[in-house]
Amino acid sequence: MKPDYWNKTAQTMPQQELKALQLKLIKQQLNYVYDRSPFYRQLYDKHKLRPEKIQTWGDFEQHVPIVRKDDIRDYQIATGDPYGGLACVPQSQLVAIWTSSGTTGWPTMGGYTREDLDIAIEAICRSYWDAGYRPGMRVMTRHGNWHWLTPITWGVIRRLQMRPVMTGINVSAIKAYKPDAFPMITTETAAALLLDAIHKAGEDPHDILGQVQIISTMGESLTDTARENIQRDWGGVQISDGGGCGESYCWFFEGGDPELPGAHYWADIGYAEVFDPDSMEKIGDVGRGELIATNLRVKGVPYIRFATEDFVDMMGDHSTHFSHPYGKILGRSIWRVNVNGNSFLPYDIERILQRFPETAKAQFFISKEAPVQDKLTVSICYDEALTPNPDTLRDKLTTVFSQDLGVASEITWVPLEVIPRPAPHKLVKFIDRTKKK
């Protein structure tokens, strides 16, 4: 199939040219934030860093410090500045303000200048166009007013000339409007909530959702089984999985090419590095580790070498029609359990649980009991209607955990209400018990 581009010049830029552009933009950003941001000036002075001394990639990697969320929160607390000292423009120049979800701690705050918002919309337009969104499509979207994607999504819908309606889980509205796409269905849990609402309304999901061509999932890493489950329940719909934190501008979204095993981010807008989350040593621009992101063009509230806490798998090969890197967000780097020297994310456990009908909904959480523990501790809610003998199911899962992950496990059955749910569309899948000891 002949590729179709939203911005062919940017999306097919030769890699050598792309790399040179990144370094040019990084040098400009370092000077920009040093002159305008009290946080960066204080940080760089502490490290005796003068931005004009950064001329090569080696200079950047050796001298520019990593910024963690706790650094920004500490500045917030010390100064009362809601932007943590990152804002480089007066608040009057921010046309939209957002906070992070607070998933991993105290929420951080960001904002868009008109130019920043235009850049963000451009990034998502490229991805959505690649996924198959087109002018005239009827689209339905739902997410919180506070979310960083809210102003971007509406900007994308307008720029792509789609026909929107915003609603909650409203079966009557979906039935009447007959949407072609859901550009932000969020998680698999949210997709399931919508199906439950359709069933409770006495309707057949295939009748209500039969015309839906594309949905975009985000918020949790989608396993292969979860993808298959959604496609089955939604009548074979195409899924474009995506994700990323609002601060990064390294946002990963899948395109419409089934041969491409990951999602692109646009490297002329953000720069991504991969670090070992324990040693904080750089692995490279490819590999598995924590995503360290640099905004290349943001002027309002820029993040430079920001530790996103996203655990990613960055791939070295590129699509045949894009020059930009691609990969997959697997979870949060701080949501890892170390069992006898092997690290596991909820994603690793979810892939196993979804293979069994009794636990296919993947309602569970893993527990970090110690910095290094001798067994994997998992609390799971099973489907009572499909589980005549929980002990037999426990034996099966214990065996598979041992075979697939190479570790011993301790499984505890829990009712669904025991699993924390910070939002209707999200279940907590990691609990750090070491913080309570």
Side-chain angles (χ1 to χ4, degrees):
M1 182 176 67
K2 186 178 179 180
D4 188 8
Y5 303 98
W6 173 257
N7 185 337
K8 185 174 182 179
T9 300
Q11 291 172 255
T12 62
M13 184 183 301
Q15 289 181 30
Q16 187 174 359
E17 183 179 335
L18 183 58
K19 198 71 175 174
L21 175 63
Q22 287 179 322
L23 183 59
K24 174 185 174 182
L25 293 174
I26 283 172
K27 290 192 290 184
Q28 291 176 355
Q29 282 288 74
L30 290 174
N31 281 284
Y32 177 81
V33 300
Y34 186 79
D35 289 341
R36 292 168 176 81
S37 158
F39 173 86
Y40 286 112
R41 177 173 286 272
Q42 182 183 94
L43 177 67
Y44 293 169
D45 284 348
K46 176 182 175 181
H47 287 265
K48 297 181 172 56
L49 168 63
R50 299 292 298 180
E52 62 269 17
K53 299 295 185 182
I54 305 301
Q55 295 297 319
T56 68
W57 282 111
D59 294 336
F60 175 74
E61 294 179 3
Q62 183 177 354
H63 299 295
V64 178
I66 305 298
V67 174
R68 289 198 166 278
K69 288 186 179 180
D70 283 346
D71 300 328
I72 301 169
R73 290 167 182 148
D74 289 345
Y75 194 97
Q76 284 177 321
I77 294 169
T79 65
D81 181 349
Y83 300 101
L86 301 181
C88 293
V89 299
Q91 184 163 293
S92 60
Q93 293 184 27
L94 298 177
V95 298
I97 297 170
W98 53 267
T99 69
S100 69
S101 63
T103 301
T104 60
W106 186 272
T108 54
M109 183 174 283
Y112 305 110
T113 65
R114 195 168 301 281
E115 293 75 17
D116 296 340
L117 188 56
D118 187 68
I119 290 166
I121 291 169
E122 163 68 17
I124 304 300
C125 275
R126 295 180 193 177
S127 298
Y128 274 24
W129 187 268
D130 187 40
Y133 289 91
R134 290 295 183 271
M137 274 188 167
R138 299 182 301 274
V139 297
M140 300 190 79
T141 183
R142 54 176 296 273
H143 42 71
N145 293 334
W146 52 268
H147 201 281
W148 61 269
L149 260 174
T150 301
I152 300 175
T153 300
W154 281 102
V156 169
I157 288 171
R158 289 194 296 269
R159 193 169 295 182
L160 292 182
Q161 300 177 44
M162 297 188 289
R163 297 155 56 193
V165 62
M166 187 163 183
T167 180
I169 298 177
N170 187 323
V171 178
S172 296
I174 296 172
K175 187 176 180 179
Y177 194 62
K178 300 186 185 304
D180 301 305
F182 286 78
M184 192 173 173
I185 199 65
T186 67
T187 61
E188 180 194 9
T189 301
L193 288 173
L194 179 53
L195 290 175
D196 288 342
I198 292 173
H199 285 300
K200 288 177 181 177
E203 302 283 358
D204 183 340
H206 287 173
D207 292 339
I208 300 294
L209 304 172
Q211 77 290 334
V212 178
Q213 301 170 36
I214 308 170
I215 64 172
S216 293
T217 55
M218 57 195 73
E220 293 177 354
S221 185
L222 200 65
T223 66
D224 292 340
T225 303
R227 184 187 300 272
E228 292 168 3
N229 291 342
I230 295 174
Q231 288 177 323
R232 178 198 64 222
D233 295 338
W234 285 62
V237 68
Q238 176 189 324
I239 299 172
S240 172
D241 191 34
C245 67
E247 301 93 336
S248 75
Y249 280 71
C250 296
W251 302 321
F252 297 76
F253 284 90
E254 294 174 341
D257 183 353
E259 302 299 321
L260 189 64
H264 281 89
Y265 83 90
W266 305 108
D268 61 321
I269 292 174
Y271 172 58
E273 304 170 86
V274 183
F275 275 64
D276 183 305
D278 296 317
S279 67
M280 286 311 292
E281 294 181 356
K282 182 168 180 175
I283 295 172
D285 294 345
V286 299
R288 287 195 175 201
E290 182 169 352
L291 171 65
I292 308 299
T294 295
N295 306 161
L296 297 179
R297 299 178 185 270
V298 174
K299 299 305 179 188
V301 186
Y303 286 78
I304 309 297
R305 268 203 143 183
F306 176 64
T308 65
E309 297 180 350
D310 282 331
F311 194 89
V312 297
D313 182 8
M314 292 295 298
M315 304 175 191
D317 297 326
H318 298 277
S319 164
T320 55
H321 57 275
F322 290 140
S323 57
H324 297 249
Y326 69 94
K328 183 177 180 66
I329 296 177
L330 302 179
R332 296 285 190 172
S333 63
I334 60 174
W335 292 351
R336 292 174 300 127
V337 171
N338 187 319
V339 183
N340 295 329
N342 298 303
S343 290
F344 300 103
L345 294 161
Y347 178 84
D348 300 310
I349 283 71
E350 186 167 348
R351 294 177 66 184
I352 292 175
L353 294 181
Q354 288 175 332
R355 286 154 44 186
F356 293 82
E358 303 94 325
T359 56
K361 292 182 180 180
Q363 296 166 333
F364 75 100
F365 59 86
I366 60 175
S367 303
K368 181 178 179 180
E369 307 290 343
V372 180
Q373 55 201 65
D374 59 5
K375 57 188 172 183
L376 180 69
T377 52
V378 193
S379 300
I380 306 169
C381 174
Y382 59 80
D383 188 327
E384 293 183 2
L386 300 176
T387 313
N389 191 328
D391 290 337
T392 300
L393 176 60
R394 180 186 281 110
D395 291 342
K396 289 180 181 177
L397 290 174
T398 300
T399 298
V400 175
F401 285 145
S402 177
Q403 291 174 342
D404 288 18
L405 304 180
V407 296
S409 60
E410 179 181 302
I411 296 172
T412 301
W413 302 130
V414 296
L416 181 58
E417 55 267 23
V418 169
I419 303 176
R421 189 190 289 266
H425 66 287
K426 278 191 175 184
L427 293 174
V428 169
K429 295 184 178 180
F430 172 87
I431 292 180
D432 187 352
R433 301 195 191 280
T434 65
K435 293 184 177 180
K436 298 180 181 179
K437 294 181 178 180

